[in-house]
Amino acid sequence: MTASQNTTALKIAKPRDKAQDIAKGVSILLVILFHTFTMPVWFKTIFSIACVWLMPFFFTLSGYYYTPGKKTKKENIIHRTKQLMIPYFQYSVGIWIITTVYNLIRNTYTIGQSLYHYLTFLVSRNTLILLGLEPIKSDMTIVPNGIKFTTVVVPFWFIVMMMFSNIIFYLIADYALSNKKRLISILALLISTSYLINLGVEAIGFGLPWNIQNVPMGTALMLIGAQYGKTKILAKEAVSTKWTIINTLVAYAISAVIQLKYPGIGSWAGGTFRTYGAIEVFPCVLFGIMSPFMVISISRLLEKIPGLGFALSWVGARTIPFLFVHWLVSSFVSIFLKLQAQPLGAALESLLNCFITIAILVVYRIVWELILKTIKTKKAAKANA
């Protein structure tokens, strides 16, 4: 790319939209609520209607800020892989050390068992099942007197799928976005590929390693987000307040009808469609298309509330550490509250767990960032001395 091309690309780069950071903040807080709050049956229905868009939304929004020509394919892939995978390994190793030390103190797991748990995490439990090294079972409980590492790193699946989806996305984005007919054809190919692979997954009874059967669909959602960015359809000035409200209400109405008929469909839970099977690919894509209108419209209203908009955008800028750490924190909180298993205890106790978990996460990030800022300041002062 020439210097003039690079300058042009930088000029057309889309500025940050605070409402979208707020939307990310709202979304990650809802993820934490889902993972830590034992919901009554009636609340689950409401929650699924209101929040079924969560996982598809993160993938759609991930593609929104893509600017064609700003970087080469290789540069984009390297940058995004580092951005996702460096924290992935840093946090996973840190969490493994914490859980291993705790389990040794509690005499729950040996070093060998803990190492096996980390190996399972790295290569994917589905890989071990394919190789016949682990039976098909699900252990989502807190072990008495201990914490199983593979339980508290369950949310990490999201980052691996995001990385694979990003690699494919950056390889084909410029070609796919060059005209609408091409984009539609490629979207159809990606979505149908995920659907067909998921049919095979249904036949064997468990997912592929790292749930790669849904990576094509993740790529499709990112392309949809990139097209939104290209057309500026989510920009504040794109539509009037009236049509923003109408679009939001219509999107929620469609979501409510689908969820009342098929509760939980299209939620993309854990990267594998466990409830309705391969057919869930299609409502998942639909929610990915509708979700930006559903959540960003509300976020534009929250942006106007003094203090709240700032707090939510602050959280939204820190979704990865919140995603990585919240289940570990919640597990220790549940032990402190004497809750025995996931989902965590009775409704009121688990709601308390949720609030305490969020409070600890906020304090953790404030303190950690203050430490990093202090170190950076001292290094700068030393360099200038």
Side-chain angles (χ1 to χ4, degrees):
M1 184 187 296
T2 66
S4 60
Q5 288 175 320
N6 190 53
T7 302
T8 302
L10 289 173
K11 285 181 179 179
I12 62 174
K14 291 172 277 297
R16 297 296 298 181
D17 185 339
K18 187 178 178 181
Q20 294 182 28
D21 285 330
I22 291 173
K24 288 169 61 181
V26 171
S27 299
I28 195 63
L29 291 176
L30 288 172
V31 168
I32 295 172
L33 175 64
F34 179 74
H35 286 163
T36 60
F37 177 44
T38 302
M39 303 176 190
V41 175
W42 62 268
F43 190 83
K44 282 184 178 180
T45 302
I46 296 175
F47 190 87
S48 65
I49 292 172
C51 306
V52 72
W53 46 265
L54 279 171
M55 289 300 103
F57 171 71
F58 277 118
F59 278 81
T60 303
L61 191 62
S62 179
Y64 181 75
Y65 286 104
Y66 176 71
T67 303
K70 186 177 180 181
K71 294 180 180 179
T72 65
K73 293 180 176 66
K74 182 179 179 180
E75 287 173 336
N76 276 319
I77 290 172
I78 291 174
H79 172 74
R80 189 59 170 155
T81 300
K82 286 181 178 179
Q83 192 179 44
L84 292 172
M85 299 313 293
I86 289 176
Y88 179 89
F89 285 107
Q90 288 175 336
Y91 277 93
S92 65
V93 170
I95 292 173
W96 181 82
I97 292 172
I98 292 171
T99 55
T100 299
V101 170
Y102 179 78
N103 288 328
L104 288 174
I105 293 173
R106 303 295 295 178
N107 197 29
T108 305
Y109 291 116
T110 65
I111 286 285
Q113 289 172 321
S114 296
L115 285 170
Y116 175 76
H117 290 159
Y118 194 78
L119 175 65
T120 301
F121 162 76
L122 285 181
V123 303
S124 167
R125 181 172 153 268
N126 289 330
T127 301
L128 297 181
I129 294 173
L130 282 171
L131 297 175
L133 299 177
E134 181 173 303
I136 302 175
K137 62 180 180 179
S138 178
D139 182 3
M140 295 292 289
T141 61
I142 295 176
V143 179
N145 301 319
I147 297 176
K148 190 173 181 179
F149 170 75
T150 49
T151 298
V152 294
V153 290
V154 169
F156 280 56
W157 72 268
F158 174 84
I159 301 300
V160 178
M161 287 196 61
M162 181 69 79
M163 182 197 70
F164 286 136
S165 296
N166 268 277
I167 291 173
I168 300 174
F169 170 78
Y170 287 126
L171 289 174
I172 67 173
D174 290 350
Y175 177 80
L177 295 168
S178 60
N179 65 69
K180 289 184 179 179
K181 287 184 178 180
R182 185 175 292 168
L183 175 63
I184 293 171
S185 299
I186 292 175
L187 287 176
L189 176 62
L190 290 168
I191 294 165
S192 60
T193 298
S194 269
Y195 172 71
L196 292 173
I197 298 175
N198 271 285
L199 287 178
V201 165
E202 286 182 28
I204 62 176
F206 55 89
L208 298 178
W210 302 288
N211 294 302
I212 59 175
Q213 66 270 15
N214 296 321
V215 167
M217 183 187 65
T219 305
L221 290 172
M222 291 181 65
L223 284 172
I224 291 169
Q227 180 65 17
Y228 282 170
K230 181 180 178 181
T231 60
K232 298 183 178 180
I233 196 171
L234 299 178
K236 187 180 295 187
E237 66 277 6
V239 292
S240 65
T241 302
K242 172 187 173 183
W243 278 105
T244 296
I245 294 173
I246 291 174
N247 291 340
T248 303
L249 292 176
V250 169
Y252 272 111
I254 294 172
S255 175
V257 170
I258 294 172
Q259 289 302 307
L260 289 172
K261 181 66 176 178
Y262 305 101
I265 195 169
S267 60
W268 203 351
T272 305
F273 303 120
R274 296 190 177 95
T275 307
Y276 298 95
I279 195 67
E280 290 201 54
V281 167
F282 301 106
C284 192
V285 172
L286 176 62
F287 295 137
I289 293 171
M290 296 192 304
S291 58
F293 300 100
M294 298 163 73
V295 64
I296 291 175
S297 298
I298 292 176
S299 297
R300 297 211 186 282
L301 299 176
L302 296 176
E303 185 179 2
K304 299 176 182 179
I305 302 176
L308 181 60
F310 170 80
L312 290 173
S313 62
W314 184 88
V315 173
R318 294 156 178 81
T319 51
I320 287 182
F322 272 54
L323 177 74
F324 283 159
V325 178
H326 78 271
W327 213 316
L328 175 70
V329 173
S330 174
S331 297
F332 276 112
V333 172
S334 69
I335 290 171
F336 175 77
L337 295 177
K338 302 188 185 303
L339 305 177
Q340 295 302 311
Q342 295 275 17
L344 301 172
L348 289 178
E349 289 177 318
S350 61
L351 189 59
L352 177 62
N353 176 292
C354 179
F355 287 138
I356 294 175
T357 296
I358 293 172
I360 291 174
L361 290 173
V362 170
V363 172
Y364 146 68
R365 286 308 301 180
I366 291 174
V367 172
W368 180 244
E369 289 173 22
L370 181 61
I371 292 172
L372 293 179
K373 184 179 180 180
T374 302
I375 293 173
K376 186 177 180 180
T377 301
K378 287 183 177 180
K379 282 185 177 180
K382 187 176 180 180
N384 294 328

